[in-house]
């Protein structure tokens, strides 16, 4: 029984892959395999040649086992360990290039692979039993999850979820003997076969290519389409650098990576960050450690972040080295794209449609009498300035400084919440009332009315509006677990967005929030909706506008 881990290589990566293999491996032989296959267009039998080359890499030198002290404590002698050898079989067929990996060679081959190819195959299969799926939930608090099943036939994914890895039993034709019915899909196709021959590998490649070319898609799979054009990738990198410069917190660091079909978790390891002859070890890679590394050595986030190298240490030895870019999870809303595992992707149509359908389910409320008036706010600040300018805390300040302090004190959200209460509409103001939650303080809600809590936020970008979503999720969790002491009953959970933009188009006289070009916000709203419902409450959204 042989395990075949099969990649298709991107056409623009053929030369770089060959250069990598020539540098790090030794050629151990080549074989020409000729097979007869029906032409996918004409149906006529034709001879197809498969040029196969074996590249072999030695294991590393012997190293001392890091936990020899345990063996010594029980009277045993030290042991040395040797890294396993690795190999790659490169298959060239009619201008296409495929790679089969053995040992740990997949860590490097991943970066050259066509990551859509495996899922294009997966969308054309019939599933008998789904065993494991790995899901990416962009911009959620759990941006990656792994689910395992005992007996599950459907490959059902919900809104806000994109498939990154799948292990399942599939339906195969009678007398089919190329490979077994259990396969794994990720950056590669991983399968087992009892026919350990090069000819069988050629037939497997042909079977997958023919399936993709001729069979219709039977399963919708939200996933990410690879961006392959170098010019487009460079444009996306520049957009990312712009966002990094403005706000480093737009970047998340994933809890695990997919290498081939293997899930590698970023825990229980030690990580060494290295850049320009500077290095430091940390117990994890996240925003805080990377930001600390940049600050400690005086590096610039825009110019230096993506060039940081990460050395992964396992059991006291350097296991492999990667770049920080391959650990970053970043979304660009202008282009509906994201960076994941060092590669750029576009959200595919299935993903965007599922998300749109989910957002459409949210109840939306709008009352034009509750729009925010900038002029009224400015008049209110001027009144407060006249009332408070003589206070002792302002005696040493200039008029401009006093005006700035008072404007900061009566910021938009505070004024708006007070204004809503003063209108006699039944709202109670909870703004700036903090409850202790562990070691930090939590603002449970901004305002309250009729068994409903409201998180109010002004803005026009995801980075501004998402703050209210995160606040609302944390607050309803704390309320549900009775971790905060508030003497009101909650049945509905509102997000109240005061949008600083032109009015949204209407559907049934309510604003269509799907018209917002804010993908990060929509991802968060989708997760918020699901969690609020799961906790037993009703999620609601209220929309108003900031008027001149």
């Amino acid at each position: 029984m042989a395990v075949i881990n099969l990649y298709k290589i991107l056409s623009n990566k053929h030369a770089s892959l060959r250069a990598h293999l020539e540098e790090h491996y030794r050629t151990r032989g080549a074989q020409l395999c000729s097979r007869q296959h029906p032409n996918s267009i004409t149906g006529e039998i034709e001879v197809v040649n498969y040029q196969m080359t074996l590249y072999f890499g030695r294991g590393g030198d012997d190293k001392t086992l890091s936990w020899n002290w345990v063996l010594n404590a029980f009277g045993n002698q030290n042991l040395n360990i040797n890294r396993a050898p690795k190999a790659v079989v490169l298959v060239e067929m009619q201008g296409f290039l495929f790679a089969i990996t053995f040992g740990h060679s997949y860590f490097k081959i991943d970066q050259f692979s066509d990551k859509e190819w495996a899922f294009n195959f997966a969308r054309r299969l019939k599933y008998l039993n789904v065993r494991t799926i790995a899901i990416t939930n962009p911009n959620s608090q759990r941006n990656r999850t792994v689910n395992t099943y005992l007996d599950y036939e459907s490959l059902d994914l919900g809104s806000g979820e994109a498939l990154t890895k799948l292990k399942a039993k599939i339906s195969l034709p009678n007398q089919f003997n190329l490979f077994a019915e259990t396969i794994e899909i990720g950056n590669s196709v991983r399968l087992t076969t009892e026919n350990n021959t090069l000819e069988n590998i050629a037939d497997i490649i042909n079977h997958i290519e023919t399936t993709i070319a001729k069979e219709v898609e039977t399963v919708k799979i939200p996933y990410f389409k690879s961006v392959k054009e170098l010019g487009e990738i460079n444009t996306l990198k520049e957009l990312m650098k712009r966002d990094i410069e403005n706000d480093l917190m737009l970047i998340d660091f994933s809890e695990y990576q997919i290498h081939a079909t293997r899930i590698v978790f970023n825990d229980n390891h030690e990580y060494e960050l290295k850049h320009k002859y500077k290095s430091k070890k940390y117990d994890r890679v996240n925003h805080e450690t990377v930001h600390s590394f940049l600050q400690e050595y005086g590096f610039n986030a825009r110019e230096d972040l993506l060039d940081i190298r990460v050395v992964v240490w396992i059991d006291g030895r350097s296991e492999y080295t990667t770049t920080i870019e391959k650990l970053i999870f970043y979304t660009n809303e202008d282009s509906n794209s994201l960076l994941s595992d060092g590669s750029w992707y576009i959200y595919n149509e299935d993903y965007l449609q599922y998300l749109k359908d989910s957002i459409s389910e949210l109840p939306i409320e709008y009352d034009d009498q509750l729009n925010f008036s900038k002029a009224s706010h400015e008049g209110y600040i001027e009144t407060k300035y006249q009332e408070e300018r003589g206070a002792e805390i302002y005696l040493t300040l200039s008029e401009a400084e006093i005006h700035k302090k008072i404007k900061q004190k009566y910021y938009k959200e505070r004024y708006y919440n007070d204004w809503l209460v003063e209108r006699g509409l039944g709202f109670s103001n909870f703004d700036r009332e903090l409850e202790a939650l562990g070691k930090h303080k939590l603002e449970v809600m901004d305002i309250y009315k009729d068994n409903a809590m409201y998180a109010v936020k002004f803005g026009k970008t995801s980075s501004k509006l998402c703050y209210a979503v995160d606040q609302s999720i944390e607050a309803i969790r704390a309320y549900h677990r009775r971790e905060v002491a508030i003497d009101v009953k909650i049945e509905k959970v509102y997000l109240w967005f005061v949008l600083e933009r032109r009015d949204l188009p209407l559907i049934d006289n309510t604003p269509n929030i799907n018209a917002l070009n804010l993908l990060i916000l929509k991802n968060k709203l989708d997760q918020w909706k699901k969690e609020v419902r799961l906790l037993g409450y009703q999620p609601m959204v209220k929309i108003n506008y900031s008027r001149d």
Side-chain angles (χ1 to χ4, degrees):
M1 184 75 73
V3 176
I4 304 299
N5 187 44
L6 179 63
Y7 292 92
K8 187 173 186 178
I9 306 303
L10 289 168
S11 58
N12 63 348
K13 297 288 184 72
H14 287 192
S16 54
L17 172 58
R18 292 184 189 277
H20 168 75
L21 294 174
E22 293 293 338
E23 180 180 357
H24 298 283
Y25 293 77
R26 291 184 178 181
T27 304
R28 286 295 185 90
Q31 297 276 353
L32 180 64
C33 177
S34 297
R35 306 297 286 167
Q36 292 186 342
H37 300 307
N39 184 287
S40 60
I41 298 176
T42 65
E44 295 181 358
I45 300 297
E46 61 183 6
V47 176
V48 179
N49 293 322
Y50 296 82
Q51 178 67 39
M52 301 189 183
T53 307
L54 173 63
Y55 293 87
F56 182 81
R58 287 187 55 204
D61 297 332
D62 286 355
K63 289 195 173 185
T64 302
L65 194 64
S66 64
W67 39 273
N68 268 328
W69 64 270
V70 178
L71 300 178
N72 299 157
F74 287 89
N76 296 286
Q77 295 185 358
N78 287 351
L79 286 179
N80 291 335
I81 53 177
N82 182 267
R83 298 184 186 179
K86 55 190 176 182
V88 176
V89 174
L90 206 59
V91 183
E92 185 172 5
M93 180 271 290
Q94 296 182 324
F96 297 108
L97 203 60
F98 300 86
I100 304 163
T101 61
F102 300 91
H104 283 78
S105 59
Y106 62 85
F107 274 111
K108 285 294 186 180
I109 304 304
D110 265 358
Q111 63 187 290
F112 305 103
S113 67
D114 182 346
K115 296 178 175 59
E116 287 184 51
W117 177 71
F119 285 106
N120 282 339
F121 180 51
R123 295 172 80 156
R124 292 163 168 83
L125 302 176
K126 181 180 179 181
Y127 296 93
L128 301 177
N129 185 279
V130 176
R131 305 284 180 80
T132 305
I133 60 174
I135 297 170
T136 293
N137 307 82
N139 312 118
S140 73
Q141 293 181 320
R142 295 177 296 175
N143 67 5
R144 290 191 168 191
T145 56
V146 179
N147 299 325
T148 59
Y149 306 95
L150 294 177
D151 187 14
Y152 190 60
E153 294 183 6
S154 301
L155 185 58
D156 294 328
L157 295 172
S159 57
E161 299 176 339
L163 191 66
T164 56
K165 193 257 183 183
L166 161 70
K167 182 177 181 180
K169 182 183 289 188
I170 63 173
S171 175
L172 296 173
N174 293 331
Q175 309 304 316
F176 185 89
N177 59 7
L178 291 180
F179 53 82
E181 58 187 0
T182 297
I183 68 169
E184 295 181 63
I185 301 289
N187 295 338
S188 63
V189 177
R190 191 171 189 267
L191 43 84
T192 58
T193 177
E194 295 183 355
N195 188 357
N196 303 345
T197 64
L198 298 181
E199 290 79 10
N200 193 54
I201 289 175
D203 290 342
I204 289 172
I205 292 173
N206 177 70
H207 173 78
I208 295 175
E209 288 286 278
T210 301
T211 299
I212 293 173
K214 299 182 67 174
E215 300 297 329
V216 297
E217 297 180 359
T218 58
V219 181
K220 287 186 177 294
I221 299 181
Y223 72 105
F224 303 132
K225 297 188 293 185
S226 179
V227 179
K228 301 173 184 178
E229 293 297 327
L230 183 59
E232 188 176 356
I233 290 173
N234 289 334
T235 298
L236 293 173
K237 282 188 176 182
E238 285 303 311
L239 289 173
M240 177 180 174
K241 288 181 177 180
R242 179 201 66 187
D243 286 344
I244 290 171
E245 193 171 39
N246 293 335
D247 187 355
L248 189 59
M249 289 301 289
L250 288 170
I251 294 174
D252 296 322
F253 290 88
S254 302
E255 287 300 313
Y256 65 79
Q257 273 69 52
I258 301 292
H259 294 281
T261 58
R262 181 184 177 191
I263 301 170
V264 180
F265 287 90
N266 298 326
D267 57 6
N268 300 323
H269 306 327
E270 195 173 23
Y271 301 90
E272 183 180 10
L273 301 186
K274 302 180 72 173
H275 182 54
K276 293 181 179 179
Y277 306 106
K278 301 293 185 181
S279 65
K280 189 170 183 178
K281 287 186 176 181
Y282 300 90
D283 61 356
R284 62 183 61 248
V285 179
N286 56 22
H287 167 259
E288 288 75 19
T289 55
V290 173
H291 186 62
S292 173
F293 180 75
L294 289 168
Q295 282 198 321
E296 182 173 346
Y297 296 108
F299 295 132
N300 178 273
R302 176 186 174 91
E303 301 302 327
D304 296 306
L305 174 66
L306 299 184
D307 293 325
I308 295 175
R309 288 175 295 141
V310 182
V311 183
V312 181
W313 293 81
I314 302 176
D315 292 335
R317 67 182 186 188
S318 172
E319 186 68 25
Y320 62 93
T321 300
T322 186
T323 62
I324 202 73
E325 188 175 7
K326 293 181 181 178
L327 302 180
I328 286 174
F329 196 93
Y330 158 82
T331 295
N332 181 269
E333 295 177 321
D334 294 335
S335 57
N336 284 345
S337 64
L338 75 156
L339 174 68
S340 178
D341 297 330
S343 297
W344 288 92
Y345 303 92
I346 301 294
Y347 290 83
N348 83 323
E349 293 78 7
D350 288 344
Y351 180 94
L352 293 174
Q353 187 61 52
Y354 281 15
L355 184 61
K356 180 180 178 180
D357 293 344
S358 173
I359 299 301
S360 297
E361 293 178 357
L362 279 168
I364 309 296
E365 295 180 358
Y366 173 64
D367 182 349
D368 62 0
Q369 299 300 310
L370 300 182
N371 288 326
F372 172 83
S373 169
K374 292 181 182 178
S376 296
H377 182 218
E378 290 169 359
Y380 180 82
I381 290 174
E382 186 60 32
T383 299
K384 288 298 182 181
Y385 171 75
Q386 298 298 333
E387 292 176 356
E388 299 181 13
R389 60 187 297 184
E392 184 175 351
I393 59 173
Y394 301 135
L395 292 180
T396 61
L397 302 180
S398 66
E399 288 189 5
E401 289 172 330
I402 296 171
H403 200 279
K404 182 179 179 181
K405 290 284 187 181
I406 290 177
K407 187 173 182 178
Q408 290 173 339
K409 180 179 179 180
Y410 298 104
Y411 54 92
K412 288 180 291 189
E413 279 94 348
R414 177 177 180 178
Y415 162 76
Y416 188 65
N417 294 336
D418 288 340
W419 177 77
L420 290 171
V421 172
E422 291 169 1
R423 283 176 62 89
L425 301 174
F427 290 106
S428 300
N429 199 336
F430 278 71
D431 186 21
R432 293 169 291 116
E433 291 190 17
L434 303 180
E435 293 285 335
L437 185 62
K439 295 182 179 180
H440 73 283
K441 296 286 188 177
L442 170 68
E443 185 177 309
V444 180
M445 66 187 101
D446 290 308
I447 52 179
Y448 171 85
K449 177 184 176 181
D450 297 336
N451 300 336
M453 61 188 294
Y454 295 77
V456 180
K457 193 63 182 175
F458 282 63
K460 61 180 179 180
T461 63
S462 287
S463 58
K464 292 286 187 182
L465 298 173
C466 286
Y467 176 83
V469 184
D470 294 337
Q471 172 194 342
S472 178
I473 287 179
E474 186 178 16
I476 194 59
R477 284 176 183 164
Y479 171 82
H480 187 77
R481 298 168 183 164
R482 294 179 172 80
E483 294 173 340
V484 292
I486 55 175
D487 296 326
V488 293
K489 182 180 180 180
I490 303 297
E491 293 177 350
K492 296 180 180 181
V493 180
Y494 274 84
L495 290 171
W496 193 333
F497 296 131
V498 183
L499 300 178
E500 298 171 323
R501 51 153 290 155
R502 68 179 187 276
D503 290 8
L504 294 170
L506 300 178
I507 295 180
D508 296 331
N509 294 319
T510 59
N512 176 21
I513 60 174
N514 263 313
L516 289 170
N517 185 31
L518 302 178
L519 185 56
I520 297 174
L521 176 64
K522 291 177 186 176
N523 279 325
K524 281 187 172 287
L525 281 175
D526 176 68
Q527 297 298 321
W528 169 81
K529 179 194 76 172
K530 293 174 183 175
E531 181 147 5
V532 171
R533 286 179 175 174
L534 188 63
L535 293 174
Y537 307 97
Q538 184 177 354
M540 305 286 292
V541 174
K542 203 169 182 68
I543 297 292
N544 278 101
Y545 300 98
S546 177
R547 304 292 198 202
D548 291 330

